[in-house]
Amino acid sequence: MAKPVVDIFIPCFIDQLFPETAWNMVKLLEALGCMVKYNTNQTCCGQPAFNAGFQKECRQVADKFLEDFSSEQSDYIVAPSASCVGMIRNAYADIFVTSSNFVKYRTMERKVFELTEFLTDILQVTHIPGAKLPAKVTYHDACSALRECGIKEGPRQLLGMVEGLTLAEMRETETCCGFGGTFAVKFDAISVAMAEQKVENALATGAEYIVSTDTSCLMHLEAYIKHNNKPIKVMHIADVLTQGW
């Protein structure tokens, strides 16, 4: 059987601040039998501009994304961010609805997956060779993953494949962490209070790590944790699944 060819999309946060997460995703996909491709022309999905109301500018970025990821040579497009995948699946449908590229977009959109749903739904992974993390973790349901992409059980199934890992569910795991992109800037007091609630719920489980699909959420929570010297860390699920290699 031929290896599935996967184009990877690396979101801005990960590219600029957490490149090791991108490398770990590549290692994981290759270990599970995928042929990984990276288009160096790729930039942003346009979400920051879209959320801030800059529709024209977002359309330009979306057009470029469509151009960069419409190759017929790849079987799938995978990103370690449900936020970006949600943008492509949902907002792009509105952006391209009056465009002559709408059919081209729909063809591309059907190939786009967040990392964990690709592993569970497409590759149907039941074992991750060598994954080992002797620690208690708690999982945060990122808003985009849960509400835009319908991702809930998959990440938990994958965490259950990691040797030594204990998953402890926190209270209100589906509640927003308070990041929300520009929300954290415009409504900083509310945003910090939401981060506090999320971190306190995580601490109550006795977990050593907060794990999620989205670096944006984890970056927000990590800032609160470090500022307040809380005894817990954050980790992207791609980094968890490649621990022990």
Side-chain angles (χ1 to χ4, degrees):
M1 182 181 295
K3 291 183 176 182
V5 179
V6 176
D7 256 336
I8 57 170
F9 172 57
I10 306 302
C12 305
F13 277 125
I14 293 177
D15 178 56
Q16 296 297 313
L17 301 173
F18 306 99
E20 68 279 1
T21 297
W23 283 112
N24 284 333
M25 181 178 74
V26 172
K27 286 163 50 179
L28 181 60
L29 290 172
E30 290 183 339
L32 293 171
C34 298
M35 181 179 294
V36 178
K37 295 172 59 181
Y38 176 73
N39 184 347
T40 57
N41 291 325
Q42 65 181 266
T43 53
C44 179
C45 68
Q47 184 178 179
F50 182 82
N51 289 345
F54 293 97
Q55 302 291 320
K56 180 180 178 181
E57 291 80 359
C58 178
R59 172 65 181 272
Q60 293 173 344
V61 178
D63 282 337
K64 185 180 188 310
F65 187 96
L66 185 60
E67 179 182 347
D68 292 339
F69 286 96
S70 291
S71 172
E72 295 180 0
Q73 297 178 2
S74 64
D75 300 312
Y76 304 100
I77 301 161
V78 177
S81 168
S83 179
C84 295
V85 170
M87 172 72 184
I88 296 162
R89 287 182 179 171
N90 300 297
Y92 274 25
D94 294 331
I95 291 170
F96 287 111
V97 69
T98 58
S99 168
S100 59
N101 282 329
F102 185 73
V103 173
K104 184 178 180 181
Y105 155 68
R106 280 303 192 194
T107 300
M108 183 273 293
E109 182 264 340
R110 285 192 288 269
K111 298 164 58 176
V112 177
F113 292 89
E114 182 273 333
L115 174 62
T116 64
E117 66 174 350
F118 179 69
L119 298 182
T120 58
D121 298 355
I122 302 302
L123 296 186
Q124 298 186 335
V125 169
T126 57
H127 175 65
I128 301 173
K132 184 177 182 180
L133 180 64
K136 179 183 280 190
V137 309
T138 191
Y139 180 76
H140 161 60
D141 285 289
C143 292
S144 296
L146 183 67
R147 295 173 177 86
E148 292 193 74
C149 300
I151 297 169
K152 177 70 175 179
E153 296 303 325
R156 291 169 169 82
Q157 293 172 12
L158 293 168
L159 291 173
M161 299 175 195
V162 179
E163 182 182 346
L165 185 148
T166 300
L167 177 62
E169 293 286 356
M170 72 172 103
R171 290 179 58 249
E172 300 179 350
T173 184
E174 296 184 359
T175 300
C176 178
C177 70
F179 177 63
T182 55
F183 177 86
V185 177
K186 293 180 178 180
F187 304 99
D188 59 314
I190 301 174
S191 175
V192 171
M194 294 172 75
E196 177 184 17
Q197 180 184 45
K198 179 65 64 170
V199 171
E200 291 302 322
N201 284 339
L203 286 168
T205 68
E208 300 165 66
Y209 297 95
I210 301 173
V211 176
S212 188
T213 54
D214 282 69
T215 302
S216 52
C217 297
L218 296 175
M219 180 179 67
H220 178 61
L221 294 174
E222 185 177 41
Y224 175 83
I225 289 166
K226 288 184 175 180
H227 184 74
N228 293 279
N229 297 312
K230 297 294 182 178
I232 196 168
K233 300 177 182 178
V234 301
M235 188 178 292
H236 190 281
I237 194 166
D239 301 322
V240 174
L241 298 178
T242 51
Q243 289 293 304
W245 288 21

